[in-house]
Amino acid sequence: MFPSGASTGNNNRKSDKFRLTLNDYGDFGEVLQRNRSTVLFVHGWLQNKLQFAEGAKRLALAVTSRNYCVVDFESLATVELRLFINQVSLRIATFLAGFVQSLGAIDIPPEQVTLVGEGVTAHLVGQTGQLLAGQLGSIIGLDPLGPFYTVGPAMQSPRGTLDPTDARFVQVWYSSIGQLGSPMPLGHQNIYLNGGLHPQPACSCFSKAFGTTNLLTQLCSHYFVVEVFKATLDPSIDLLATKCHSYKHFLAGRCRIRPSTTRRVISNDGTEPGNFYLQTSLKPPYL
């Protein structure tokens, strides 16, 4: 079900620990609740399952009406970026699509599944949704990679790039537009942290020491969105953003915060389409 070297970890209300599920595991009913919304966290390139594990555990203990899984393909995530994009990404997406389809055996249709990915894997989960003909319930893409996808001379085909047709609802977060992140709005709902611009305020130490074009500074902005997202995996924290025509209008106070702009991550709330903006603090939980 998953390519060699990949596995999932599953957490449900019966335990506070993740259970390893290998690619040949047959009875998902033993580790997942039937007919429940299910979230698959897909870690990023050069990352591993620990990237989202703690947040997923916290959700599983607090919100017991859903299944939470982390997808681990660490041995495949360490290849050169171009190779990962051109060969490995679609391979993982294909197996993920098969896994989602297999959940139908325990009454979990694609419409009840959410996929979360960051950077390159934001596009990977989009490819998974495309293979499933857009029937996924939702996708959350965290600062989808711009180079190779929406900018640069070696862009992928449009179907390799995350877009709103990949799921019934696509939410995209932005934090490094103009550098590593995509400058194009790719979701039904687009959330811009500090305008989505590089460098992020929390990365000022890197920009002062190395300059804004340094890779460390770029990576800081790129991964900042992941840190903010993980903070919102605490069920007691709401993400409050403002729907606005532009970041300029948002800064000028021309767009009023309304209750409908509150978004609780990994839920059915706050699915209003449009562009949303928020300013973050410099320390956890950032919001």
Side-chain angles (χ1 to χ4, degrees):
M1 190 165 303
F2 288 94
S4 176
S7 63
T8 58
N10 305 281
N11 191 307
N12 61 26
R13 66 194 302 173
K14 299 176 184 178
S15 171
D16 63 352
K17 296 181 179 180
F18 275 84
R19 294 177 59 181
L20 182 65
T21 303
L22 299 177
N23 58 321
D24 58 354
Y25 194 89
D27 189 0
F28 299 109
E30 291 187 9
V31 291
L32 298 175
Q33 297 182 79
R34 303 178 68 91
N35 193 26
R36 298 285 190 179
S37 296
T38 299
V39 183
L40 302 179
F41 295 91
V42 183
H43 65 76
W45 178 64
L46 299 182
Q47 305 294 318
N48 59 46
K49 64 180 181 294
L50 297 179
Q51 185 175 35
F52 294 115
E54 288 303 318
K57 286 181 183 179
R58 188 180 302 117
L59 275 174
L61 290 172
V63 186
T64 58
S65 60
R66 299 187 184 94
N67 298 310
Y68 301 96
C69 307
V70 293
V71 179
D72 177 18
F73 58 94
E74 182 177 358
S75 62
L76 301 175
T78 56
V79 302
E80 188 266 334
L81 178 59
R82 190 183 296 268
L83 177 62
F84 185 88
I85 291 172
N86 291 333
Q87 297 184 30
V88 178
S89 179
L90 182 58
R91 182 183 175 195
I92 296 172
T94 301
F95 281 94
L96 264 178
F99 177 75
V100 171
Q101 289 179 319
S102 74
L103 294 177
I106 56 172
D107 302 319
I108 301 175
E111 293 82 0
Q112 286 187 285
V113 177
T114 295
L115 296 185
V116 180
E118 64 95 344
V120 177
T121 62
H123 297 294
L124 186 158
V125 297
Q127 292 172 332
T128 303
Q130 191 259 330
L131 291 170
L132 293 167
Q135 293 305 302
L136 276 174
S138 59
I139 285 174
I140 298 177
L142 305 176
D143 208 42
L145 191 69
F148 300 105
Y149 288 98
T150 59
V151 295
M155 289 192 295
Q156 297 293 295
S157 68
R159 293 311 304 134
T161 301
L162 176 65
D163 71 45
T165 68
D166 293 330
R168 296 189 172 192
F169 180 72
V170 177
Q171 181 191 75
V172 184
W173 300 36
Y174 305 84
S175 64
S176 67
I177 291 174
Q179 296 295 324
L180 297 180
S182 173
M184 297 174 57
L186 301 176
H188 298 103
Q189 186 182 79
N190 301 290
I191 299 176
Y192 297 90
L193 306 185
N194 305 301
L197 302 174
H198 168 80
Q200 287 288 312
C203 302
S204 59
C205 59
F206 288 99
S207 57
K208 290 178 181 178
F210 305 112
T212 59
T213 59
N214 182 270
L215 181 59
L216 286 176
T217 311
Q218 294 174 357
L219 288 171
C220 178
S221 292
H222 184 56
Y223 286 120
F224 179 66
V225 71
V226 178
E227 295 306 309
V228 176
F229 173 78
K230 289 194 296 185
T232 67
L233 296 182
D234 182 337
S236 68
I237 294 178
D238 281 329
L239 172 65
L240 189 64
T242 302
K243 186 175 183 179
C244 209
H245 178 70
S246 69
Y247 188 48
K248 181 179 180 180
H249 285 182
F250 169 76
L251 291 177
R254 296 174 61 178
C255 305
R256 183 170 61 88
I257 295 177
R258 308 189 311 277
S260 62
T261 63
T262 300
R263 166 70 178 171
R264 184 177 290 280
V265 177
I266 315 296
S267 74
N268 295 320
D269 301 330
T271 55
E272 181 180 357
N275 295 337
F276 292 76
Y277 300 88
L278 73 155
Q279 299 292 91
T280 67
S281 61
L282 300 181
K283 297 180 180 180
Y286 304 109
L287 303 172

